[in-house]
Amino acid sequence: MTKWVYTFGDGAAEGRAGDKNLLGGKGANLAEMCSLGLPVPPGFTITTEACNWYYANGNAYPDSLAADVDAALGHIGNLTGRSFGDPEKLLLVSVRSGARASMPGMMDTVLNLGLNDETVEALAKDSGDPRFAYDSYRRFIQMYSDVVMGLDHEVFEEILEDRKATLGYELDTELSAAEWQAVIALYKAKVEEELGKPFPQDPREQLWGAIGAVFSSWMNARAITYRRLHDIPEAWGTAVNVQAMVFGNMGDTSATGVAFTRNPSTGEKALYGEFLVNAQGEDVVAGIRTPKNITEKARIAAGSDKPSMQKLMPDAFASFVTISDKLEKHYRDMQDLEFTIERGKLWMLQTRSGKRTAKAALKMAVEMAAEGLITKEEAVARIDPASLDQLLHPTIDPKAERNVIGIGLPASPGAATGEIVFSSEDAEDLKGQGRKAILVRVETSPEDIHGMHAAEGILTTRGGMTSHAAVVARGMGKPCVSGAGSLRVDHRTGTLIAMGATFRKGDVITIDGSNGQVLKGAVQMLRPELSGDFAAIMEWADAVRRMKVRTNAETPADARMARSFGAEGIGLCRTEHMFFDGARIVAMREMILADTEADRRMALDKLLPMQRSDFLELFEIMAGLPVTIRLLDPPLHEFLPKTEEEIAEVAAAMNVSADKLRQRTEALHEFNPMLGHRGCRLAVSYPEIAEMQARAIFEAAVEAGRKSGKLVVPEIMVPLVGIVKELEFVKARIDAVASSVMKETGVTIEYLSGTMIELPRAAIRANVIAESAEFFSFGTNDLTQTTFGISRDDASSFLEVYRQKGIIEQDPFVSLDIEGVGELVRMAAEKGRATRPDIKLGICGEHGGDPASIHFCEEVGLDYVSCSPYRLPIARLAAAQAAIKGR
Ligand code: PEP
Ligand code: MG
């Protein structure tokens, strides 16, 4: 029989940390903490399998579940000396979701479950604190009505705010027991009025309502969005954790908090967290009250005059420090902890590996390796390659003038500039128009995920470092300033008031997530230095990686930047990109639009010296590292003159009439330029183009060799080959030019010629093509386009729909479609090697910078990946992780 329920408590547990798939992250770690003898309120976990069963069976529960839950409640009762539903020996529980991967703020929680009109009196008596009892009951009504019965918590907030205003109070803590009783009566009346039925009084009915709500929350819109953004499969399901309640709101010796064993923003090795006296867990995360520091050190650093937990509750603090250390050592990683102190006694409610910024991840990994907690390879394996993107975020130039209009908490590092928007919808709209937004809110909620994603940065006026905005922004790598209390957002008027000035939607501001500043206007930014911990991890990664990492670059600036990011050569120089600007585009257009070979040669003569000096510079920057230059592959439409002005300009240069030129442009118009007269097809029609380029490459190589005294071995790449004869035809021209240049210069030139594999036919015929090609570079952009028959320029409009409808998991232009396109790559690699065992194999499509695709490249045994300069660190790390995994 399937075991649906796992119990834990009092130093023992049926599950372990390794059971995350079954018990969810929270459940597995609660079990582990119990087994370690830590103080954890006893409880039980209903498995993710039960959740999947629930969905597979029309939202029903397995037959034996009710009996299992009863038995587990009995288990809690035995350990606590209490009994669920019995006012004489009152047992209250919390019900929390807990999926395999943490989904902060995505799923729902119910606290104080088991309270009703009768048991609340028992709680008042038991605790000797009626005020606490009624406060707990009203919280329960509010949470349960929201999470389980779908009544928005704001209707309760309104009632409470009304009461407080009438009574002249500011804080919830000012309400007396009797005043809470009055609020409860209003709450209950509201539930009945809104839902047409009374608030449930039967604890068992409450419990099953909550269990059902947790399961249902797996399919709520927030959870679905979060899963989509984080590639979490729907099939994982969520577990439900039911635990005996412990109370952080039992007066001034009680508290609740969250903490990290190291600073999740900077990585510093120091306990870091926040707590609230006389509060329940959700108060901290919800950002409703601004919490206080846990340690004295942090309090002083923050310049706060509110006492720290260390000062206020020294005993509980000391136990907490011991437990944090123990947990970090046990899990060998930074832990994210939740705790409650009930009348001076510490209880642990959660531990998990904490989310962290990329900067913190690097620092922690390097320091943990130095401390001997983990090995260097583990340090390398721990960094999420995609997160390195965060480190490539701009920071504010220290020399820039800062017009500070407000200050909040440095919740997520990096700086961002954009137009103010007050809603997630506006953030998305702006992004759609290619504009940059800063999402400004009082506080964010899980409904804002899409807006946070679309915005460049997030600014909130309320909430702490662990508020929703802060946690989610850090996870996304977005700059965030939270709790900027001196700013006022007025949603009614759509304004942000800062230092007496009024800002409106569309006004530009800058936020500095590294120090919490909010600045007026746009500010000069800097790209960060990649040194210190970053360099250490890169060095360790380079030591274990097998594949080389090259860059796609054609400008000297990109090539230099790529070298500073560790490029080991150029994997793709797209020569057509060298002609976009200034006088060059005119010469390029002249060449394309020329009617006769003679005219074309004239235009090519203008292009030759430009090309030669470009290549010379690239060879010099790359200083002997391999450089792969691809012959012209212009999708023609990108180069044709479009405006009348452009036509006139080219006509003048070619000395023909604008009319004639317009006719020629029209004649060259293609219905499907991506599948048109491009790539090697152009070189077959007009071999003089390939000849000019080959000449420029060889002359530059000779010159670079002469200057450096070292041999430069260019790699010439022919694009869009599908038929071996195409390659043979172009290669014959390249070889002929090489002979001429050798004769003219008297210098022996070494070079490789090869092809891109970017058409299915090329992959199928790779064994034959390898007879002529000394290397293959997989052009997976075109290979994806042609394998799927999906235009890479038009795909985004419908691929997102495909993703949402579950037809594809990921955009195949972003992450390689391993089972389809990947199969062609694998086959071509094998066929290529069969013909030419030492054939050089690389990839230069966008996938060369995508971690999952890089893993695949390692598996297939490619020699290198090539990607844009800013993705190089990601590629180096991903290649190292792939090598470690492949061992
Ligand atoms: C490719 O097709 O993958 C490729 C690298 O070439 P381009 O993107 O220039 O077509
Ligand atoms: Mg291509």
Side-chain angles (χ1 to χ4, degrees):
M1 245 181 54
T2 315
K3 184 170 169 57
W4 303 110
V5 172
Y6 286 68
T7 60
F8 54 84
D10 206 17
E14 291 181 311
R16 290 307 303 252
D19 298 330
K20 284 200 179 61
N21 297 359
L22 188 63
L23 302 181
K26 192 187 279 274
N29 287 329
L30 282 170
E32 187 80 3
M33 282 201 290
C34 267
S35 304
L36 291 171
L38 302 183
V40 173
F44 60 89
T45 304
I46 303 176
T47 65
T48 54
E49 279 178 4
C51 177
N52 290 333
W53 198 98
Y54 172 86
Y55 281 111
N57 293 275
N59 300 3
Y61 301 110
D63 283 346
S64 56
L65 186 64
D68 291 353
V69 165
D70 278 344
L73 282 170
H75 171 82
I76 304 180
N78 289 340
L79 294 180
T80 55
R82 296 171 176 279
S83 175
F84 188 65
D86 179 354
E88 297 302 310
K89 295 187 287 172
L90 186 60
L91 171 62
L92 300 179
V93 295
S94 65
V95 179
R96 292 183 170 92
S97 60
R100 200 188 292 189
S102 89
M103 296 170 66
M106 291 301 110
M107 308 282 286
D108 297 317
T109 294
V110 181
L111 300 179
N112 311 323
L113 190 139
L115 280 176
N116 56 27
D117 295 349
E118 189 185 1
T119 55
V120 71
E121 303 303 335
L123 183 64
K125 204 154 84 232
D126 250 19
S127 63
D129 185 350
R131 195 201 159 279
F132 148 75
Y134 296 118
D135 176 35
S136 302
Y137 189 25
R138 71 88 193 174
R139 284 170 186 270
F140 173 54
I141 296 174
Q142 198 166 336
M143 252 188 185
Y144 192 91
S145 303
D146 179 9
V147 169
V148 181
M149 311 203 302
L151 193 54
D152 194 16
H153 72 102
E154 266 164 28
V155 305
F156 299 106
E157 287 295 337
E158 256 168 41
I159 294 175
L160 181 54
E161 288 306 313
D162 259 13
R163 275 321 291 163
K164 274 161 54 183
T166 313
L167 295 164
Y169 295 159
E170 221 171 273
L171 300 174
D172 295 1
T173 41
E174 291 172 70
L175 273 81
S176 69
E179 282 156 358
W180 277 127
Q181 272 180 298
V183 170
I184 288 166
L186 292 170
Y187 276 13
K188 281 177 21 195
K190 189 77 186 172
V191 170
E192 199 149 358
E193 176 195 325
E194 293 279 336
L195 303 176
K197 56 180 180 191
F199 186 79
Q201 293 287 313
D202 174 10
R204 275 201 158 58
E205 184 191 335
Q206 294 173 354
L207 178 62
W208 283 101
I211 292 170
V214 171
F215 282 167
S216 308
S217 71
W218 180 248
M219 288 298 183
N220 72 26
R222 303 184 317 233
I224 290 170
T225 304
Y226 191 91
R227 281 203 295 274
R228 185 163 53 79
L229 294 174
H230 292 84
D231 295 321
I232 295 174
E234 191 180 298
W236 283 4
T238 180
V240 185
N241 298 292
V242 179
Q243 265 181 297
M245 274 302 298
V246 288
F247 296 96
N249 57 336
M250 264 197 190
D252 287 343
T253 53
S254 300
T256 187
V258 297
F260 297 87
T261 56
R262 301 185 190 214
N263 186 315
S265 200
T266 64
E268 189 199 353
K269 189 180 178 184
L271 191 60
Y272 176 90
E274 298 167 329
F275 82 117
L276 278 174
V277 174
N278 197 9
Q280 282 202 327
E282 307 318 296
D283 298 352
V284 181
V285 185
I288 292 166
R289 276 160 62 188
T290 300
K292 300 169 189 154
N293 299 102
I294 289 192
T295 64
E296 268 298 281
K297 198 172 148 215
R299 180 191 69 76
I300 294 162
S304 160
D305 56 0
K306 307 262 170 48
S308 66
M309 177 169 137
Q310 184 171 11
K311 192 70 176 269
L312 217 53
M313 303 178 169
D315 293 343
F317 175 77
S319 330
F320 186 62
V321 171
T322 311
I323 288 173
S324 321
D325 282 351
K326 186 169 181 169
L327 284 170
E328 184 177 287
K329 290 214 171 71
H330 180 71
Y331 284 97
R332 302 166 65 242
D333 197 6
M334 183 268 270
Q335 296 296 294
D336 169 355
L337 309 166
E338 281 182 20
F339 62 92
T340 282
I341 297 166
E342 182 183 284
R343 292 190 166 153
K345 162 129 180 77
L346 174 72
W347 291 96
M348 297 304 296
L349 300 184
Q350 173 169 295
T351 190
R352 64 181 175 205
S353 281
K355 290 201 187 297
R356 60 206 76 181
T357 62
K359 181 173 165 212
L362 290 172
K363 186 174 175 69
M364 285 178 204
V366 170
E367 290 186 358
M368 284 180 191
E371 289 160 25
L373 199 60
I374 58 174
T375 63
K376 284 183 182 173
E377 282 196 7
E378 281 173 307
V380 166
R382 272 198 188 172
I383 311 292
D384 170 13
S387 76
L388 295 180
D389 232 5
Q390 291 178 30
L391 299 176
L392 308 167
H393 274 302
T395 51
I396 291 177
D397 183 342
K399 293 199 282 289
E401 200 181 310
R402 288 172 182 248
N403 188 348
V404 180
I405 53 167
I407 186 130
L409 300 169
S412 181
T417 296
E419 295 173 42
I420 294 176
V421 293
F422 295 105
S423 77
S424 289
E425 288 65 37
D426 286 348
E428 277 202 320
D429 277 358
L430 225 56
K431 181 167 185 181
Q433 298 166 32
R435 284 151 64 191
K436 298 187 158 138
I438 303 286
L439 179 61
V440 181
R441 305 295 304 252
V442 174
E443 58 202 329
T444 61
S445 74
E447 275 86 10
D448 288 317
I449 296 283
H450 63 117
M452 296 174 77
H453 234 267
E456 297 297 306
I458 296 115
L459 168 63
T460 69
T461 55
R462 261 204 258 170
M465 290 291 282
T466 45
S467 63
H468 179 266
V471 171
V472 174
R474 280 201 293 273
M476 287 180 180
K478 294 261 153 139
C480 174
V481 172
S482 68
S486 66
L487 303 183
R488 258 204 15 255
V489 172
D490 189 334
H491 281 294
R492 263 180 322 111
T493 54
T495 52
L496 170 72
I497 318 266
M499 310 241 300
T502 303
F503 295 82
R504 288 173 209 288
K505 184 175 152 190
D507 288 345
V508 173
I509 55 169
T510 298
I511 58 167
D512 187 344
S514 308
N515 68 7
Q517 287 181 348
V518 184
L519 310 160
K520 185 175 172 185
V523 184
Q524 185 67 37
M525 304 269 185
L526 284 186
R527 288 264 159 205
E529 276 284 308
L530 303 179
S531 53
D533 300 320
F534 188 98
I537 288 285
M538 283 295 130
E539 193 182 304
W540 299 347
D542 290 346
V544 291
R545 118 178 111 77
R546 180 193 63 80
M547 284 189 294
K548 295 276 184 202
V549 174
R550 299 195 194 179
T551 190
N552 294 356
E554 40 279 333
T555 67
D558 276 0
R560 279 197 200 94
M561 176 144 46
R563 282 216 62 186
S564 76
F565 287 157
E568 296 165 298
I570 290 180
L572 173 63
C573 166
R574 291 178 164 105
T575 52
E576 62 281 2
H577 285 192
M578 302 169 118
F579 297 107
F580 273 126
D581 57 29
R584 296 177 165 215
I585 185 90
V586 180
M588 180 72 172
R589 285 177 176 150
E590 277 180 63
M591 192 273 289
I592 290 175
L593 293 165
D595 255 342
T596 63
E597 186 180 330
D599 285 350
R600 196 159 28 255
R601 282 199 186 274
M602 240 159 60
L604 285 168
D605 284 346
K606 291 188 201 165
L607 293 172
L608 175 69
M610 300 176 190
Q611 284 268 268
R612 191 171 44 222
S613 70
D614 287 340
F615 297 143
L616 177 60
E617 200 169 356
L618 288 185
F619 290 142
E620 286 178 343
I621 294 166
M622 284 295 147
L625 294 170
V627 176
T628 307
I629 297 168
R630 180 176 77 184
L631 299 184
L632 211 56
D633 177 15
L636 277 184
H637 63 296
E638 285 181 18
F639 286 90
L640 294 176
K642 289 177 195 78
T643 62
E644 285 303 315
E645 214 181 349
E646 285 169 356
I647 292 179
E649 188 182 18
V650 181
M654 293 175 75
N655 207 11
V656 295
S657 71
D659 262 355
K660 174 144 194 283
L661 196 75
R662 209 173 289 115
Q663 276 167 22
R664 177 80 184 131
T665 307
E666 272 158 24
L668 285 176
H669 171 81
E670 292 178 315
F671 286 107
N672 219 332
M674 269 294 183
L675 299 177
H677 197 189
R678 59 176 281 221
C680 64
R681 297 160 199 169
L682 212 61
V684 170
S685 308
Y686 311 121
E688 54 278 11
I689 301 176
E691 285 167 7
M692 179 281 284
Q693 290 200 297
R695 174 166 286 277
I697 294 168
F698 292 132
E699 289 179 356
V702 169
E703 177 72 11
R706 201 178 279 144
K707 280 173 128 177
S708 66
K710 282 196 235 127
L711 187 69
V712 173
V713 185
E715 300 176 359
I716 301 184
M717 181 150 79
V718 183
L720 224 69
V721 164
I723 308 166
V724 70
K725 285 199 173 147
E726 292 173 318
L727 177 61
E728 286 168 358
F729 179 91
V730 182
K731 188 172 182 303
R733 302 300 189 282
I734 296 170
D735 292 343
V737 174
S739 306
S740 308
V741 177
M742 282 195 256
K743 225 179 270 154
E744 291 156 25
T745 58
V747 178
T748 311
I749 302 171
E750 279 183 38
Y751 62 98
L752 298 179
S753 45
T755 182
M756 298 190 69
I757 301 287
E758 47 189 344
L759 296 176
R761 191 178 198 283
I764 293 165
R765 300 289 291 162
N767 49 333
V768 180
I769 292 175
E771 283 168 13
S772 288
E774 289 163 296
F775 64 87
F776 286 167
S777 180
F778 290 96
T780 44
N781 302 332
D782 275 311
L783 192 57
T784 300
Q785 163 167 271
T786 49
T787 301
F788 277 91
I790 288 179
S791 154
R792 57 197 264 198
D793 292 334
D794 304 311
S796 57
S797 63
F798 55 89
L799 282 186
E800 187 47 33
V801 177
Y802 270 42
R803 233 171 85 108
Q804 278 166 12
K805 300 200 168 165
I807 290 173
I808 55 167
E809 266 177 26
Q810 267 174 324
D811 182 339
F813 291 101
V814 173
S815 199
L816 194 74
D817 160 46
I818 288 169
E819 33 184 62
V821 179
E823 207 42 47
L824 287 173
V825 171
R826 188 192 300 277
M827 179 182 78
E830 281 164 13
K831 286 184 172 222
R833 280 199 206 98
T835 302
R836 190 187 287 269
D838 64 345
I839 190 165
K840 221 194 246 193
L841 301 173
I843 182 172
C844 63
E846 285 310 300
H847 306 93
D850 169 66
S853 313
I854 292 170
H855 273 257
F856 172 76
C857 294
E858 170 72 23
E859 200 192 304
V860 179
L862 299 193
D863 297 304
Y864 68 86
V865 298
S866 188
C867 59
S868 61
Y870 279 111
R871 295 199 75 79
L872 279 162
I874 296 170
R876 286 161 73 190
L877 184 59
Q881 292 179 348
I884 293 170
K885 196 168 154 216
R887 284 201 187 137

